[in-house]
Amino acid sequence: MEIFTYTLSPRFRQTDSAGLLYFNEAFNLFHDAYEEWAEQLYGSKARWFANEEWAVPLKKASADFRRPLHAFDPCEVKINLASVGNTSFQLLTEIWQKGTLCCSVDTVHVFIDKNTKVAQGIPKEVRKLFEG
């Protein structure tokens, strides 16, 4: 289920001399969109990323590159909520440029207690937002 779309353009500093995106920069494009999604979902990036009770680190991140991404050309980053478990959720994110799927990023995020650093259940207020 697509839950969020964010448009941005890769910067020249993110590319090689031919203007093609370095592979690792796909994760930065994803994270830029993820931050905006967190703002929309939770109402505040600070409350999501600097929450006093919990944190949401990555458990897994992988990317599948299909076509080159070019500097300066707008990209649509489409975040899809793929699954929600007891302590984690999975996002499947697609990066499109000029109507072509160029890259997909698969991430799993796990909620942990900020003090103990142990996985915890997804907070009820967040689970409601995922459901609705």
Side-chain angles (χ1 to χ4, degrees):
M1 168 178 73
E2 183 180 321
I3 56 171
F4 185 73
T5 299
Y6 185 65
T7 302
L8 51 77
S9 296
R11 306 287 185 184
F12 188 71
R13 66 177 161 72
Q14 296 175 293
T15 65
D16 62 18
S17 61
L20 302 178
L21 193 78
Y22 293 122
F23 76 93
N24 60 312
E25 292 294 335
F27 292 104
N28 288 325
L29 297 180
F30 156 75
H31 206 279
D32 289 346
Y34 174 64
E35 287 181 27
E36 297 306 317
W37 169 73
E39 175 85 20
Q40 179 190 33
L41 176 75
Y42 206 61
S44 167
K45 289 181 218 179
R47 284 182 49 225
W48 183 266
F49 291 103
N51 192 288
E52 293 182 11
E53 298 175 20
W54 46 263
V56 193
L58 280 172
K59 179 179 178 180
K60 171 190 166 191
S62 64
D64 181 24
F65 299 92
R66 299 169 187 217
R67 297 280 184 264
L69 286 154
H70 301 274
F72 314 120
D73 291 337
C75 294
E76 280 193 324
V77 183
K78 299 179 180 185
I79 297 177
N80 303 283
L81 183 60
S83 64
V84 178
N86 293 325
T87 62
S88 64
F89 63 96
Q90 179 183 15
L91 298 177
L92 295 176
T93 302
E94 298 175 336
I95 304 174
W96 292 75
Q97 197 171 57
K98 295 183 177 180
T100 300
L101 176 59
C102 296
C103 181
S104 56
V105 177
D106 179 4
T107 55
V108 176
H109 309 252
V110 62
F111 282 86
I112 64 169
D113 180 283
K114 203 149 193 183
N115 295 317
T116 65
K117 309 296 190 263
V118 174
Q120 68 172 41
I122 296 172
K124 290 178 185 176
E125 71 272 14
V126 174
R127 186 172 292 281
K128 285 181 186 177
L129 295 171
F130 285 163
E131 294 169 354

